[in-house]
Structure formats: C-alpha cells, structure tokens
C-alpha cells in the first residue's frame, strides 16, 4: 500500500514527519509513505514527482491543523487521489482520503470546504488504533491481532509525545516561521518562474499577483506587513478566508499591519497614478478593506495606517522574509504598475533586510490613523 501524506505550513509538516515515522515503524515494508519534503530527490522536477505520487497512491492522509484547513494545496492533493480512487468498485477505495485533525476546528468551518465531503478523523489513541487496523486489513502485515495491538501501543506512546511537543511549541510566535527557502518552495508549487538565486533572490515577474498573495496569506506564521498604495488585491474577496480568521490569529499574537497612501493632506497623491481620479479609486479600496476586516470582526484602524511620504519601493514582510519591488516611472513621470513586476526576496536578518524592515517601521511609526468619512 502506498500512502500520500498531504501537508501545508510548518506545523503540519512537522506532524506529517512524525506520522510518517510512526507508520513506517508500525508497518515497515508493508506500506510506502510518500511525503513531498522527504520523498523528492535532488535535481528532480518538483511538480512531476508530486503528480506521479498522486497517481500511484492508494490513500491520502491529509494532516489538518487550524492554520491550513483552507489550504488550496491540500484540497488539490486530496481531490486528485479522490478522483482516481472513488470510481473503483472495491470498498477499500471508498475511504481513499482521510483528513486527520490535530487541532480543534468547529464543524461549521468546513462548510463549503471540499474537505467536508470526507469523513474526518480526530487525532486520539482510539481513532488512530482504528486507522491502523484498517491499514492492516488491507496489507495483512500483522496476521495476529494481539501482535498488532502490542506494536501499536509501543509506537503510540512515542507518536503521542511527539505530536504534543509539536502542538505545544507551535504558538503563533513559534520557532518555525516562513524562511526564504520555504517561500521559494511554496512559490514553485504555484508555478512561479525560476528565480535568480543568491543572497538576494530575484523573480523576473509575479509581484502583486493573486498567486503571490495566496502564498503569503496561507503561510504567514507570526507577522505580515504591507507597505502598499491602494492594496486593492490584498483586500479582494478572493482573500476573505484569511481575514475571516485574522482575529483569532491576532489574539494569539500574529502581527498584521497595512500601510495605505493617505487620500488627504498628501502632496504626492496627484502624482500617484496616471489616467483618472486616483483619489476616488483609493477611497473605494479603503472601503473594501474596511468591509473585509469588519467581516472578520476587526476594526480597520487597529491594523491599518495612512502615510504621506514618497514611496520608492513596495515592501512586504512575512515572518523572516522581506519582499520588495522598486517603483519605476514612465515617460509622463507617473509610476509604472507593479502588478506582475519583478521583485526581490531576502532574509530579514541580512543587512539589506534589516534596512527594509527599519524603513517599514519608520513609516509605520510616522503614519496616522485617520477617520475618513467615505
């Protein structure tokens, strides 16, 4: 039997590694466990390997936490195995996808979620024992039930201790924030172009695209800061799930901040964009942001401020990573659009990373909370 472990974000990845070790310790050569971070060989085509594993796997165990239950990547992997297996006539194919919950998540959170069609398994000793027996029924690794129970009890204690340690260590301010390497892998999964790598990583295109925002919003663990202009794409309805969960994350210490260019008392507002009334467009975007935040129970002024200085870069800071794109100007002296522009990624602790982080902090500290009657 081949089992595909689907995971997303650092906590889920660590749990998946522990589950992988548990299953391999239990069943040894009777099962093959495939996990993207462990089973892909150096130099291979990342997406091709995942596609092959999805085609070959009999079951998918989706490692679900409070941080990733809306992950598009988990939904894709679960759906791929479900489509291939559920049309089969044998009964073993009917539970080819099993989401395993490692955090308490209310049932209504899964309404409208593709994972809701699969019977979920809450992680505990009794449920895992049932799952182990089901695997054994398919593999006959332990013909003797007493031997199976003994082996399960021995391995359960190690797994349970490992899972508890992972869950306890993963507060929002965990030791596993997004890094440059993690972000590179996440962008590769959604088909971003191959970047020029070095101390500063450069992507030739893709800035301010919905794909980039999806990766950032899904994976941010301890901070997410935006030094934008109108921030229209950030607060689009496509990102509603993030803002719906933002209040919970902030209550646990997550630091979300967003800078808008100020529509009043701002000498730079008239030169912010060519072709039309930029101020009116900005006010529409501010209202959209207020609506999105209000939908999640957050006051706009708790997380957003307005700046009046000239902006030379757009800056996004996610956990331990800085992203930035330079503002360039057209012949009419208006700034060029940043959507799909080139951008750079670097470690926040690098000299340039610290400079950009300091630039954000300086603007944030001088920016204002403004009550706008719009």
């Amino acid at each position: 039997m081949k089992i595909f472990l689907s995971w997303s974000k650092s906590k889920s990845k660590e749990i998946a590694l522990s589950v992988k070790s548990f299953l391999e310790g239990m069943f040894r050569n009777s099962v093959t466990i495939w996990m993207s971070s462990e089973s892909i060989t150096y130099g291979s085509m990342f997406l091709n390997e995942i596609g092959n594993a999805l085609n070959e796997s009999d079951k998918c165990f989706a490692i679900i936490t409070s941080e990733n239950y809306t992950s598009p990547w988990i939904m894709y992997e679960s759906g791929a195995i479900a489509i291939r297996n559920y049309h089969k006539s044998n009964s073993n194919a009917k539970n080819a996808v099993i989401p395993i919950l490692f955090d308490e998540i209310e049932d209504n959170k899964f309404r409208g979620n593709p994972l809701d069609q699969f019977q979920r398994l809450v992680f505990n000793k009794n449920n895992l024992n049932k799952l182990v027996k089901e695997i054994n029924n398919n593999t006959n690794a332990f013909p003797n039930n007493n031997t199976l129970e003994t082996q399960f009890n021995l391995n359960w204690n190690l797994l349970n201790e490992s899972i508890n340690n992972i869950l306890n260590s993963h507060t929002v301010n965990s030791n596993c924030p997004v890094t440059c390497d993690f972000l590179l892998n996440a962008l590769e999964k959604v088909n971003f172009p191959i970047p020029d790598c070095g101390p500063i990583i450069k992507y030739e295109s893709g800035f301010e695209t919905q794909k980039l925002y999806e990766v950032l919003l899904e994976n941010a663990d301890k901070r997410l800061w935006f030094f934008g202009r109108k921030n229209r794409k950030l607060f689009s309805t496509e990102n509603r799930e993030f803002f719906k969960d933002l209040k919970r994350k902030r209550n646990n210490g997550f630091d979300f901040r967003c800078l808008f260019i100020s529509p009043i008392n701002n000498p730079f507002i008239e030169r912010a964009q060519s072709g039309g009334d930029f101020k009116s467009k900005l006010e529409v975007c501010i209202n959209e942001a207020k609506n999105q935040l209000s939908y999640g129970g957050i006051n706009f002024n708790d997380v957003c401020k307005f700046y009046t200085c000239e902006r030379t870069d757009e800056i996004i800071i996610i956990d331990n990573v800085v992203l930035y794109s330079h503002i360039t100007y057209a012949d009419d002296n208006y700034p060029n659009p940043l959507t799909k522009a080139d951008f750079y990624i670097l470690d926040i602790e690098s000299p340039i990373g610290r400079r950009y982080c300091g630039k954000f902090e300086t603007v944030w500290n001088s920016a204002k909370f403004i009550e706008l009657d719009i």
Side-chain angles (χ1 to χ4, degrees):
M1 173 183 288
K2 189 166 187 175
I3 298 172
F4 187 106
L5 288 183
S6 180
W7 60 273
S8 175
K9 302 196 72 169
S10 55
K11 177 164 69 172
S12 176
K13 177 182 178 181
E14 290 184 43
I15 293 172
L17 287 169
S18 293
V19 171
K20 181 175 185 290
S21 178
F22 168 81
L23 293 174
E24 289 174 339
M26 278 288 303
F27 294 100
R28 302 188 184 277
N29 297 328
S30 298
V31 297
T32 301
I33 313 298
W34 199 96
M35 179 179 168
S36 60
S37 66
E38 299 294 300
S39 305
I40 295 178
T41 56
Y42 291 110
S44 60
M45 296 291 289
F46 187 84
L47 292 175
N48 286 347
E49 292 246 3
I50 290 179
N52 291 337
L54 290 171
N55 286 330
E56 296 169 359
S57 295
D58 303 295
K59 290 185 181 294
C60 172
F61 295 166
I63 307 301
I64 305 299
T65 71
S66 58
E67 300 172 345
N68 73 359
Y69 66 93
T70 60
S71 165
W73 196 249
I74 286 182
M75 294 177 194
Y76 165 74
E77 292 173 338
S78 300
I81 290 181
I83 289 171
R84 191 176 64 81
N85 282 278
Y86 275 56
H87 70 279
K88 295 179 180 178
S89 59
N90 67 80
S91 59
N92 293 333
K94 303 306 179 185
N95 57 352
V97 177
I98 302 177
I100 306 177
L101 275 60
F102 289 85
D103 287 326
E104 289 188 15
I105 305 174
E106 297 175 3
D107 282 342
N108 60 13
K109 295 286 187 180
F110 286 95
R111 289 173 189 164
N113 187 319
L115 294 176
D116 197 27
Q117 64 185 302
F118 306 117
Q119 181 64 43
R120 297 182 290 277
L121 182 153
V122 176
F123 176 78
N124 58 45
K125 186 175 183 178
N126 184 54
N127 287 341
L128 196 67
N129 193 14
K130 292 178 181 178
L131 183 61
V132 163
K133 288 178 179 177
E134 180 183 314
I135 296 172
N136 191 57
N137 288 338
N138 294 334
T139 62
N140 200 31
F142 295 91
N144 187 302
N145 287 333
N146 290 333
T147 305
L148 174 63
E149 285 294 324
T150 300
Q151 193 68 20
F152 172 79
N153 288 327
L154 289 173
N155 284 275
W156 161 257
N157 292 332
L158 293 174
L159 175 64
N160 191 45
E161 181 179 2
S162 175
I163 298 300
N164 285 333
N165 288 338
I166 292 168
L167 295 177
N168 290 334
S169 69
H170 270 265
T171 60
V172 172
N173 297 314
S174 70
N175 294 321
C176 299
V178 171
T179 62
C180 286
D181 286 344
F182 183 95
L183 189 55
L184 284 173
N185 287 332
L187 292 176
E188 183 181 4
K189 282 185 176 181
V190 293
N191 297 321
F192 262 65
I194 297 173
D196 293 329
C197 292
I200 300 178
I201 300 160
K202 181 180 180 181
Y203 281 88
E204 294 292 341
S205 64
F207 198 61
E208 275 200 348
T209 57
Q210 181 58 30
K211 278 187 178 181
L212 177 63
Y213 282 121
E214 286 175 359
V215 169
L216 298 177
L217 297 178
E218 180 184 342
N219 291 292
D221 184 64
K222 67 177 183 178
R223 75 163 70 89
L224 193 55
W225 300 350
F226 293 90
F227 184 2
R229 188 177 52 169
K230 293 185 298 182
N231 300 300
R232 179 177 64 86
K233 291 188 180 68
L234 170 63
F235 288 100
S236 73
T237 55
E238 293 176 275
N239 300 325
R240 174 162 286 187
E241 287 299 321
F242 171 82
F243 293 106
K244 188 165 67 173
D245 195 43
L246 182 56
K247 184 176 182 179
R248 178 194 65 81
K249 292 167 71 73
R250 291 186 72 239
N251 288 339
N252 289 326
F254 184 75
D255 186 3
F256 178 83
R257 306 186 206 178
C258 185
L259 286 162
F260 284 84
I261 187 170
S262 176
I264 59 175
N265 299 324
N266 187 352
F268 301 103
I269 195 72
E270 297 302 326
R271 303 299 300 175
Q273 180 178 310
S274 64
D277 186 356
F278 175 79
K279 183 178 178 181
S280 296
K281 294 176 182 177
L282 172 61
E283 290 175 346
V284 169
C285 292
I286 293 169
N287 266 332
E288 289 176 351
K290 288 182 176 181
N291 291 335
Q292 280 283 54
L293 291 167
S294 176
Y295 179 77
I298 296 175
N299 187 293
F300 177 88
N301 283 344
D302 288 343
V303 294
C304 298
K305 295 172 78 173
F306 296 97
Y307 64 91
T308 56
C309 61
E310 185 173 13
R311 189 180 62 147
T312 58
D313 305 276
E314 178 162 338
I315 303 170
I316 302 173
I317 297 173
I318 173 173
D319 295 356
N320 289 347
V321 182
V322 175
L323 299 83
Y324 64 93
S325 184
H326 298 306
I327 308 297
T328 60
Y329 292 85
D331 293 339
D332 59 3
N333 205 32
Y334 283 98
N336 290 311
L338 285 178
T339 302
K340 299 183 180 179
D342 59 1
F343 66 101
Y344 302 84
I345 293 177
L346 69 162
D347 191 279
I348 200 171
E349 294 300 330
S350 67
I352 299 176
R354 287 196 295 271
R355 179 163 64 84
Y356 273 103
C357 189
K359 181 186 290 188
F360 183 98
E361 290 275 25
T362 298
V363 176
W364 179 263
N365 290 333
S366 63
K368 306 294 184 183
F369 296 109
I370 302 175
E371 289 294 342
L372 299 174
D373 186 18
I374 56 176

